[in-house]
């Protein structure tokens, strides 16, 4: 099952804003509002940071925000901080079968 | 606060069957009306959803792994388990258990275990 497409890497300086894209098809990202985003620090398990396109779980910084246009979901990190350096994955339900797919992952580097 | 912990062998031989267990603590596995999933992540690569089980025992599997996967739940032990047969080196990965996805978790994997590293080698 093909994964959702993300840029391999994105970088920014402290205080800047960056955006990570997640491109799917009409059967997954474009077909549901169940897009979610996960942050994974090296050697750690992923952690949910955005659900249902743009909602933040309790305790997640409001510097993280999500949006979607058509078949592409996006994660924006504003006021970039050193602790934001991690891998980020999007995920979506795929309509054609009962299946959840993840993005290819994006490594965020804080310069 | 619900926590998940994977357990199982770290090394399995090719062609054999992998068995992993995820123990849920801090809450009942059957009281939250949740699904429970397994994911895996080869070193340096992305995440792959393997499948999920509901507290009733009903399951859904990734079509790419369906012929080799069984996920089951034991509510009396507050655990759910993964069996993966006919192992090859390509199954070497970190295996994670997680809560979700389903309506109770907004179709997300909202709580994850710390992961269990599995190597397939003779």
């Amino acid at each position: 099952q093909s994964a959702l497409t993300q840029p391999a890497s994105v970088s920014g300086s402290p205080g800047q804003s960056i955006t990570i894209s997640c491109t799917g098809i009409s059967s997954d990202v474009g077909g549901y509002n169940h897009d979610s985003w996960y942050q994974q620090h090296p050697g750690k398990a992923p952690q949910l940071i955005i659900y249902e396109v743009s909602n933040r779980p309790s305790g997640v910084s409001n510097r993280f925000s999500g949006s979607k246009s058509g078949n592409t979901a996006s994660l924006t990190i504003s006021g970039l901080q050193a602790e934001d350096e991690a891998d980020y994955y999007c995920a979506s339900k795929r309509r054609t079968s009962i299946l959840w797919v993840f993005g290819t992952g994006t490594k965020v580097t804080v310069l | 606060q619900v926590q998940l912990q994977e357990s199982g062998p770290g090394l399995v031989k090719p062609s054999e069957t992998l068995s992993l267990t995820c123990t849920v603590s801090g809450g009942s596995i059957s009281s939250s009306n949740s699904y429970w999933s397994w994911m895996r992540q080869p070193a340096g690569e992305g995440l792959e959803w393997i499948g999920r089980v509901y507290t009733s025992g009903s399951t859904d599997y990734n079509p790419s792994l369906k012929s080799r996967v069984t996920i089951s739940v034991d509510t009396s032990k507050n655990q759910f388990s993964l069996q993966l047969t006919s192992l090859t080196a390509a199954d070497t990965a970190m295996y994670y258990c997680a809560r979700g996805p389903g309506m109770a978790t907004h179709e997300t994997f909202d709580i994850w275990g710390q992961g269990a590293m599995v190597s397939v080698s003779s």
Side-chain angles (χ1 to χ4, degrees):
Chain A
Q1 302 295 330
S2 56
L4 308 175
T5 302
Q6 298 180 231
S9 63
V10 174
S11 61
S13 299
Q16 286 187 330
S17 292
I18 61 170
T19 297
I20 302 168
S21 61
C22 170
T23 301
I25 58 178
S26 58
S27 297
D28 43 59
V29 175
Y32 290 104
N33 285 326
H34 294 318
D35 316 315
S36 51
W37 289 89
Y38 301 84
Q39 178 191 59
Q40 186 178 33
H41 286 109
K44 300 293 187 180
Q47 178 185 354
L48 176 67
I49 56 173
I50 293 288
Y51 68 95
E52 291 178 342
V53 180
S54 59
N55 294 298
R56 283 185 307 276
S58 175
V60 172
S61 171
N62 60 8
R63 298 185 299 102
F64 294 95
S65 61
S67 62
K68 181 164 69 175
S69 177
N71 294 339
T72 299
S74 298
L75 172 71
T76 298
I77 310 174
S78 42
L80 200 61
Q81 298 181 2
E83 66 202 49
D84 300 330
E85 195 161 281
D87 293 325
Y88 292 81
Y89 293 92
C90 60
S92 178
K93 184 177 181 178
R94 180 162 287 170
R95 192 205 314 254
T96 50
S97 58
I98 301 176
L99 168 67
W100 273 261
V101 288
F102 286 92
T104 49
T106 299
K107 181 176 181 61
V108 168
T109 301
V110 181
L111 302 172
Chain B
Q1 180 178 345
V2 174
Q3 293 183 312
L4 283 66
Q5 178 69 59
E6 304 88 348
S7 59
L11 180 64
V12 191
K13 290 182 168 53
S15 79
E16 292 190 345
T17 296
L18 169 66
S19 294
L20 293 174
T21 296
C22 183
T23 300
V24 179
S25 59
S28 171
I29 196 171
S30 55
S31 66
S32 59
N33 295 320
S34 293
Y35 283 90
W36 305 88
S37 284
W38 287 96
M39 268 73 66
R40 67 180 183 178
Q41 183 176 36
E45 298 185 24
L47 294 158
E48 179 180 37
W49 178 71
I50 298 172
R52 68 176 183 175
V53 62
Y54 192 59
T55 52
S56 65
S58 66
T59 54
D60 297 299
Y61 299 130
N62 188 324
S64 67
L65 295 168
K66 188 174 184 176
S67 64
R68 298 195 293 132
V69 172
T70 302
I71 298 176
S72 58
V73 63
D74 187 337
T75 55
S76 66
K77 294 182 178 178
N78 233 32
Q79 296 175 335
F80 62 104
S81 299
L82 167 70
Q83 284 197 318
L84 184 63
T85 63
S86 304
L87 293 173
T88 70
D91 295 310
T92 293
M94 182 71 78
Y95 284 75
Y96 293 102
C97 61
R99 188 172 73 173
M103 287 182 62
T105 63
H106 303 284
E107 303 293 354
T108 68
F109 309 96
D110 67 341
I111 301 173
W112 295 64
Q114 65 185 30
M117 184 64 209
V118 175
S119 296
V120 181
S121 174
S122 55

